[in-house]
Amino acid sequence: MTGKLSSKSSFSTTTSRYLLVTATLTVLSIAISSAHAAGIEYSKQSVAPFFEPGNYAELSYAYIDPKIEGTNATGNDIDDMMDDFDLPGAAIKIAPTPNTALAVIYEKPFGVDTEYQEGSIFNNRLGTTEARVETTGITLLGGGKIIDNVWLYGGLEYQKLKGKVTGAQPVGLTTAISQVGEVLGVSVADYYNLVDKQNAGTISPSEAATLETVNGLANPVAESPTYYTLDFEDKSTLVPVIGMAFEKPEIALRAALTYRAPAKYKVSGVENLQVVLPTFAGGDGVTPMPAAEGLPLSGKTEVKMPQSVNLDFQTGLSEEYQLLGMINAR
């Protein structure tokens, strides 16, 4: 596969005294650990139904129950964070003549369905980290033979995107130290230098007192829960598709190379980030408050699903033996 998931956001960037917050988290980056398209790929977007002989129709269904477990940065277990999901599919192909074809293919090409369970740093009293992002695609293809055994085909995919992303985790020690340090005149680099000195046993009494003061103020802020939400409305787009195929029917050989352009969306949404701060940091330790001025934000973000190149290849053994082997490379 070629291409990577990318996103550009027009949400504003704001800061507060206690939290350095960049309010430009993208729609999908929080949902997956890798920007590679394979991380959110549900189907291979094959055009195989287009080449079925004569008029043809198919229905398909798959139930997927993935499982991902592990431990977080604090050593706590992360229970299965992947939810199950359904993958329906359908295709109809019509052959007006032996050398021409029309096809409509329905599928769910990309998606994310995750939720972190209790016990992880990605689940706190404000909520949990989860992503519910889904695409559906309907591809219309048409084409025919341009010379013996060579097909040229193309069309458009109507693709629709919808979803919601939330993120929950503690503020974090480094962010808390940067805020406390602004008041005390201690940078993050200064703090970790003091920690190194303490570990090495070379810290002076005054430096030890400074380190103790920073820790006393920063630790409660670092443990404060934050909760990020991004809701975006349904959007749709059209994606060009073009391909060429070579076939040799007598041995069931066919190689079809298909290019699908990137699917680009301009998504409207509402973005918010809340935090529960201790009293000395401006909160009451109970009530969620905006982590930065001007939240929640309304704006638009550009989401681009990747372009792709598919190779659908199949062949039999010979004219006499028609045992079939198939490859879908993407």
mmCIF file of all heavy atoms in Angstrom, residues 3 41 47 104 116 131 147 153 164 171 222 228 269 273 297 300 303 308 312 326:
data_model
loop_
_atom_site.group_PDB
_atom_site.id
_atom_site.type_symbol
_atom_site.label_atom_id
_atom_site.label_comp_id
_atom_site.label_asym_id
_atom_site.label_seq_id
_atom_site.Cartn_x
_atom_site.Cartn_y
_atom_site.Cartn_z
ATOM 1 N N GLY A 3 1.040 5.434 0.739
ATOM 2 C CA GLY A 3 0.342 6.539 1.393
ATOM 3 C C GLY A 3 0.196 6.313 2.882
ATOM 4 O O GLY A 3 0.270 5.209 3.387
ATOM 5 N N GLU A 41 -7.249 -0.345 8.317
ATOM 6 C CA GLU A 41 -7.813 -0.958 7.121
ATOM 7 C C GLU A 41 -8.743 -2.111 7.496
ATOM 8 O O GLU A 41 -8.372 -3.012 8.238
ATOM 9 C CB GLU A 41 -6.680 -1.471 6.232
ATOM 10 C CG GLU A 41 -7.141 -2.045 4.916
ATOM 11 C CD GLU A 41 -5.960 -2.521 4.083
ATOM 12 O OE1 GLU A 41 -5.313 -3.492 4.503
ATOM 13 O OE2 GLU A 41 -5.696 -1.901 3.049
ATOM 14 N N VAL A 47 -11.491 -5.503 -6.665
ATOM 15 C CA VAL A 47 -12.426 -5.326 -7.778
ATOM 16 C C VAL A 47 -12.758 -6.674 -8.426
ATOM 17 O O VAL A 47 -13.278 -6.717 -9.544
ATOM 18 C CB VAL A 47 -11.852 -4.364 -8.835
ATOM 19 C CG1 VAL A 47 -11.646 -2.985 -8.244
ATOM 20 C CG2 VAL A 47 -10.537 -4.903 -9.417
ATOM 21 N N VAL A 104 -21.220 -2.582 -9.267
ATOM 22 C CA VAL A 104 -21.373 -1.764 -8.065
ATOM 23 C C VAL A 104 -20.909 -2.621 -6.886
ATOM 24 O O VAL A 104 -21.393 -3.738 -6.700
ATOM 25 C CB VAL A 104 -22.823 -1.301 -7.859
ATOM 26 C CG1 VAL A 104 -22.927 -0.500 -6.553
ATOM 27 C CG2 VAL A 104 -23.290 -0.461 -9.034
ATOM 28 N N TYR A 116 -10.482 1.687 25.870
ATOM 29 C CA TYR A 116 -9.639 1.242 26.971
ATOM 30 C C TYR A 116 -10.495 0.966 28.208
ATOM 31 O O TYR A 116 -11.320 1.789 28.599
ATOM 32 C CB TYR A 116 -8.581 2.295 27.301
ATOM 33 C CG TYR A 116 -7.437 2.330 26.317
ATOM 34 C CD1 TYR A 116 -7.530 3.054 25.132
ATOM 35 C CD2 TYR A 116 -6.264 1.627 26.569
ATOM 36 C CE1 TYR A 116 -6.483 3.078 24.223
ATOM 37 C CE2 TYR A 116 -5.200 1.646 25.672
ATOM 38 C CZ TYR A 116 -5.323 2.371 24.502
ATOM 39 O OH TYR A 116 -4.290 2.400 23.599
ATOM 40 N N ALA A 131 -12.376 5.271 20.368
ATOM 41 C CA ALA A 131 -12.550 5.820 19.029
ATOM 42 C C ALA A 131 -13.577 4.979 18.294
ATOM 43 O O ALA A 131 -13.491 3.752 18.282
ATOM 44 C CB ALA A 131 -11.235 5.819 18.270
ATOM 45 N N ILE A 147 -8.074 -4.343 -26.238
ATOM 46 C CA ILE A 147 -7.519 -5.279 -27.219
ATOM 47 C C ILE A 147 -7.723 -6.676 -26.646
ATOM 48 O O ILE A 147 -8.181 -6.825 -25.509
ATOM 49 C CB ILE A 147 -6.011 -5.024 -27.506
ATOM 50 C CG1 ILE A 147 -5.203 -5.107 -26.206
ATOM 51 C CG2 ILE A 147 -5.809 -3.691 -28.179
ATOM 52 C CD1 ILE A 147 -3.700 -4.992 -26.426
ATOM 53 N N TYR A 153 -10.599 -0.239 -17.157
ATOM 54 C CA TYR A 153 -11.809 0.046 -16.388
ATOM 55 C C TYR A 153 -11.567 1.229 -15.450
ATOM 56 O O TYR A 153 -10.416 1.606 -15.164
ATOM 57 C CB TYR A 153 -12.259 -1.183 -15.591
ATOM 58 C CG TYR A 153 -11.204 -1.745 -14.672
ATOM 59 C CD1 TYR A 153 -11.116 -1.338 -13.345
ATOM 60 C CD2 TYR A 153 -10.275 -2.681 -15.143
ATOM 61 C CE1 TYR A 153 -10.153 -1.856 -12.510
ATOM 62 C CE2 TYR A 153 -9.304 -3.191 -14.312
ATOM 63 C CZ TYR A 153 -9.244 -2.781 -12.994
ATOM 64 O OH TYR A 153 -8.274 -3.284 -12.159
ATOM 65 N N LYS A 164 -16.511 9.483 16.322
ATOM 66 C CA LYS A 164 -16.290 10.227 17.559
ATOM 67 C C LYS A 164 -15.010 9.705 18.191
ATOM 68 O O LYS A 164 -14.762 8.498 18.204
ATOM 69 C CB LYS A 164 -17.468 10.048 18.520
ATOM 70 C CG LYS A 164 -17.272 10.709 19.878
ATOM 71 C CD LYS A 164 -18.466 10.452 20.788
ATOM 72 C CE LYS A 164 -18.257 11.108 22.150
ATOM 73 N NZ LYS A 164 -19.401 10.866 23.061
ATOM 74 N N VAL A 171 -2.658 14.337 33.540
ATOM 75 C CA VAL A 171 -1.955 15.475 32.955
ATOM 76 C C VAL A 171 -0.526 15.092 32.591
ATOM 77 O O VAL A 171 -0.030 15.433 31.521
ATOM 78 C CB VAL A 171 -1.954 16.665 33.937
ATOM 79 C CG1 VAL A 171 -0.987 17.751 33.472
ATOM 80 C CG2 VAL A 171 -3.359 17.229 34.078
ATOM 81 N N ALA A 222 0.088 16.450 38.147
ATOM 82 C CA ALA A 222 0.410 15.370 37.206
ATOM 83 C C ALA A 222 -0.623 14.254 37.250
ATOM 84 O O ALA A 222 -0.906 13.602 36.235
ATOM 85 C CB ALA A 222 1.795 14.817 37.513
ATOM 86 N N TYR A 228 -10.419 14.466 26.712
ATOM 87 C CA TYR A 228 -10.500 15.125 25.411
ATOM 88 C C TYR A 228 -11.642 14.518 24.605
ATOM 89 O O TYR A 228 -11.822 13.296 24.596
ATOM 90 C CB TYR A 228 -9.182 14.943 24.660
ATOM 91 C CG TYR A 228 -9.225 15.381 23.210
ATOM 92 C CD1 TYR A 228 -9.032 16.715 22.872
ATOM 93 C CD2 TYR A 228 -9.468 14.469 22.192
ATOM 94 C CE1 TYR A 228 -9.071 17.125 21.551
ATOM 95 C CE2 TYR A 228 -9.509 14.867 20.868
ATOM 96 C CZ TYR A 228 -9.314 16.192 20.555
ATOM 97 O OH TYR A 228 -9.369 16.592 19.247
ATOM 98 N N GLY A 269 -16.412 19.863 13.353
ATOM 99 C CA GLY A 269 -16.507 19.193 14.642
ATOM 100 C C GLY A 269 -16.413 20.150 15.806
ATOM 101 O O GLY A 269 -16.164 21.344 15.644
ATOM 102 N N LEU A 273 -11.357 19.923 25.816
ATOM 103 C CA LEU A 273 -10.398 19.283 26.712
ATOM 104 C C LEU A 273 -10.646 19.803 28.119
ATOM 105 O O LEU A 273 -10.544 20.999 28.370
ATOM 106 C CB LEU A 273 -8.959 19.588 26.272
ATOM 107 C CG LEU A 273 -7.844 18.946 27.102
ATOM 108 C CD1 LEU A 273 -7.938 17.429 27.055
ATOM 109 C CD2 LEU A 273 -6.481 19.396 26.603
ATOM 110 N N LEU A 297 -14.083 24.250 21.328
ATOM 111 C CA LEU A 297 -13.826 24.907 20.053
ATOM 112 C C LEU A 297 -14.656 24.267 18.950
ATOM 113 O O LEU A 297 -14.818 23.062 18.918
ATOM 114 C CB LEU A 297 -12.351 24.785 19.674
ATOM 115 C CG LEU A 297 -11.319 25.480 20.559
ATOM 116 C CD1 LEU A 297 -9.922 25.024 20.160
ATOM 117 C CD2 LEU A 297 -11.432 26.982 20.443
ATOM 118 N N LYS A 300 -12.958 23.095 11.749
ATOM 119 C CA LYS A 300 -12.893 22.064 10.724
ATOM 120 C C LYS A 300 -11.495 21.455 10.696
ATOM 121 O O LYS A 300 -10.513 22.126 10.977
ATOM 122 C CB LYS A 300 -13.227 22.637 9.346
ATOM 123 C CG LYS A 300 -14.682 23.050 9.188
ATOM 124 C CD LYS A 300 -14.975 23.481 7.759
ATOM 125 C CE LYS A 300 -16.449 23.816 7.589
ATOM 126 N NZ LYS A 300 -16.778 24.204 6.190
ATOM 127 N N VAL A 303 -9.212 15.498 6.825
ATOM 128 C CA VAL A 303 -8.821 14.108 6.998
ATOM 129 C C VAL A 303 -8.638 13.482 5.625
ATOM 130 O O VAL A 303 -9.490 13.653 4.748
ATOM 131 C CB VAL A 303 -9.876 13.321 7.805
ATOM 132 C CG1 VAL A 303 -9.468 11.865 7.937
ATOM 133 C CG2 VAL A 303 -10.053 13.947 9.179
ATOM 134 N N SER A 308 -4.179 4.034 -2.803
ATOM 135 C CA SER A 308 -3.752 2.644 -2.775
ATOM 136 C C SER A 308 -3.587 2.110 -4.185
ATOM 137 O O SER A 308 -4.156 2.630 -5.149
ATOM 138 C CB SER A 308 -4.768 1.782 -2.012
ATOM 139 O OG SER A 308 -6.019 1.789 -2.676
ATOM 140 N N ASP A 312 -4.812 -7.682 -7.981
ATOM 141 C CA ASP A 312 -5.608 -8.909 -7.860
ATOM 142 C C ASP A 312 -5.089 -9.887 -8.905
ATOM 143 O O ASP A 312 -5.197 -9.631 -10.111
ATOM 144 C CB ASP A 312 -7.089 -8.613 -8.094
ATOM 145 C CG ASP A 312 -7.697 -7.840 -6.933
ATOM 146 O OD1 ASP A 312 -7.863 -8.440 -5.865
ATOM 147 O OD2 ASP A 312 -7.990 -6.639 -7.105
ATOM 148 N N MET A 326 -5.198 -17.599 -5.785
ATOM 149 C CA MET A 326 -5.503 -16.164 -5.848
ATOM 150 C C MET A 326 -4.588 -15.393 -4.915
ATOM 151 O O MET A 326 -4.246 -15.863 -3.824
ATOM 152 C CB MET A 326 -6.954 -15.885 -5.465
ATOM 153 C CG MET A 326 -7.974 -16.534 -6.378
ATOM 154 S SD MET A 326 -9.663 -16.093 -5.906
ATOM 155 C CE MET A 326 -10.601 -17.051 -7.101
#
